Amino acid sequence: MTALKNDTFLRALMRQPTDYTPLWLMRQAGRYLPEYCATRARAGSFLNLCKSPALATEVTLQPLARYNLDAAILFSDILTVPDAMGLGLYFAEGEGPKFERPLREEWAIRDLTAPDPHDHLRYVIDAVSEIRKALDGSVPLIGFSGSPFTLACYMVEGEGSDTYAKVKTLMYSRPDLMHHILEVTTKAVIDYLNAQIEAGAQAVMVFDSWGGMLSQAAYLEFSLPYMARIMAGLKRENDGQIVPRIVFTKGGGLWLERIAACGADAIGLDWTIEIGEARQRVGAQVALQGNMDPTILLTTPDAVTTEAKRILGSYGPGSGHIFNLGHGISQFTPPDNVAALVETVHAESRQYHVGS
């Protein structure tokens, strides 16, 4: 593999000195970019886009052609794993992802098995390899998966939800069945992320998008322990290089200290917690990734610049900060506002790394 020309992101994840604060954006390849929309239209559907390694490579690289970002992230979807388990993923127009066969019966839950990523998810692994080659050492490539709990939410509900009543009912009335889903899904995620690492992913991230809607007791039973098992089961090195791990629980600010102890190298933060306060709470234990409210990108370049400066100042001097949004970028974001963000973070952050 080609040596990295820009490893700032990887060094920041390991809390090593950097010249500036690196930046990438959750959902950076998405509908706010006209070139992405054109490729998606050519693909015919979102799933076709995900399942074509060539097209997934194309859209992964699009934001890097526009912006001086410090990492690429694999273009895929967290729901590829339950789809590979046979639940029948499809996307209803304007309604988001749905499953044809959600887990509602005990026999279906008991029959659940972890897929072989080299077989049922070959298209993702091939995409990782193609993207890594296409990047040619310019920036690192991030692989990812959903967390076991977040995947279980979709698998039981059959679609997104505001209340998650079905999965919570199962969780509280039949915790044995819920734990079975989580155990099988944990094995699937470990196998999936390790396959991505072997194919060339240089960092990996676990998205616990729905963990924050749990009570503390439920989070500590049904979400965090399974992410800790994933951290323990991942390949630590590939090609002689450490592969850093990031976990992100949206709404997880209450449990930062516990998340910091799960074995990850970095914690993703949403915008509901002040990043300077988060840094005080976790100390030098982990790096922090975040945490601008993505809604700010709908405003003006000046407003974006002001908020980016504020977040950088809140984190303060030293390494260990990867600038990002507190959630995925909105499809209605003006591309010029993203340019303002990237330029501001790279220019204004250097003052916090002098002598580091």
Side-chain angles (χ1 to χ4, degrees):
M1 290 288 186
T2 307
L4 270 174
K5 302 175 183 73
N6 176 0
D7 66 350
T8 308
F9 167 68
L10 296 180
R11 284 189 285 123
L13 283 175
M14 301 307 296
R15 291 170 287 108
Q16 296 169 357
T18 58
D19 294 333
Y20 62 90
T21 301
L23 169 80
W24 71 279
L25 304 174
M26 287 189 277
R27 213 182 291 140
Q28 64 189 23
R31 286 179 288 175
Y32 74 105
L33 293 176
E35 55 268 39
Y36 168 88
C37 294
T39 306
R40 178 167 167 166
R42 208 166 77 243
S45 73
F46 178 74
L47 269 182
N48 286 347
L49 188 54
C50 289
K51 293 188 175 185
S52 164
L55 294 179
T57 299
E58 183 177 316
V59 295
T60 297
L61 298 181
Q62 284 171 347
L64 300 173
R66 266 190 186 255
Y67 310 116
N68 186 26
L69 297 161
D70 294 289
I73 182 165
L74 161 70
F75 182 82
S76 187
D77 192 88
I78 64 169
L79 299 182
T80 54
V81 170
D83 183 44
M85 291 174 165
L87 273 64
L89 176 65
Y90 70 100
F91 285 80
E93 191 63 37
E95 296 182 27
K98 294 189 176 186
F99 285 107
E100 295 172 359
R101 295 173 290 279
L103 298 176
R104 300 285 168 76
E105 306 294 337
E106 181 167 349
W107 66 265
I109 293 172
R110 296 291 183 198
D111 283 353
L112 198 66
T113 57
D116 180 348
H118 295 286
D119 182 6
H120 299 96
L121 290 161
R122 183 78 246 171
Y123 63 92
V124 179
I125 308 311
D126 288 344
V128 172
S129 297
E130 287 194 30
I131 295 164
R132 179 72 188 274
K133 287 173 187 168
L135 286 169
D136 194 30
S138 55
V139 293
L141 173 61
I142 306 165
F144 73 91
S145 173
S147 72
F149 178 75
T150 292
L151 296 179
C153 286
Y154 282 102
M155 293 160 73
V156 174
E157 295 287 339
E159 59 187 326
S161 172
D162 292 329
T163 63
Y164 290 91
K166 293 183 181 71
V167 75
K168 284 189 172 184
T169 299
L170 177 68
M171 185 179 77
Y172 288 123
S173 64
R174 290 295 305 272
D176 59 320
L177 294 182
M178 187 65 183
H179 281 297
H180 181 73
I181 296 171
L182 293 169
E183 285 166 8
V184 173
T185 307
T186 296
K187 181 184 186 309
V189 170
I190 291 170
D191 292 346
Y192 183 49
L193 289 178
N194 278 336
Q196 291 184 37
I197 291 168
E198 290 162 6
Q202 291 147 291
V204 290
M205 181 164 172
V206 175
F207 286 90
D208 189 31
S209 306
W210 303 116
M213 60 84 168
L214 290 168
S215 69
Q216 176 167 298
Y219 180 75
L220 297 180
E221 180 177 353
F222 294 103
S223 184
L224 188 58
Y226 291 98
M227 291 197 290
R229 280 166 58 175
I230 292 167
M231 295 301 108
L234 290 178
K235 286 173 66 81
R236 189 56 174 150
E237 292 187 13
N238 191 51
D239 287 335
Q241 301 296 316
I242 290 176
V243 180
R245 296 84 61 94
I246 310 162
V247 295
F248 172 53
T249 295
K250 187 170 182 289
L254 292 171
W255 313 311
L256 278 185
E257 294 85 352
R258 290 179 169 92
I259 299 171
C262 80
D265 299 295
I267 299 175
L269 303 174
D270 67 20
W271 63 89
T272 61
I273 184 167
E274 184 62 34
I275 196 166
E277 177 191 329
R279 187 183 188 187
Q280 289 178 348
R281 286 170 58 187
V282 301
Q285 196 171 358
V286 290
L288 295 174
Q289 179 176 277
N291 64 336
M292 177 182 271
D293 184 342
T295 307
I296 290 169
L297 289 175
L298 303 179
T299 60
T300 65
D302 285 347
V304 170
T305 296
T306 298
E307 180 63 4
K309 289 179 179 179
R310 189 196 66 76
I311 292 169
L312 290 167
S314 178
Y315 185 86
S319 193
H321 180 201
I322 300 92
F323 201 102
N324 208 313
L325 305 177
H327 198 51
I329 191 168
S330 164
Q331 63 174 302
F332 304 110
T333 298
D336 286 351
N337 286 353
V338 177
L341 175 63
V342 175
E343 290 163 11
T344 299
V345 170
H346 282 162
E348 296 294 329
S349 66
R350 291 183 180 274
Q351 63 186 299
Y352 299 109
H353 295 270
V354 176
S356 65

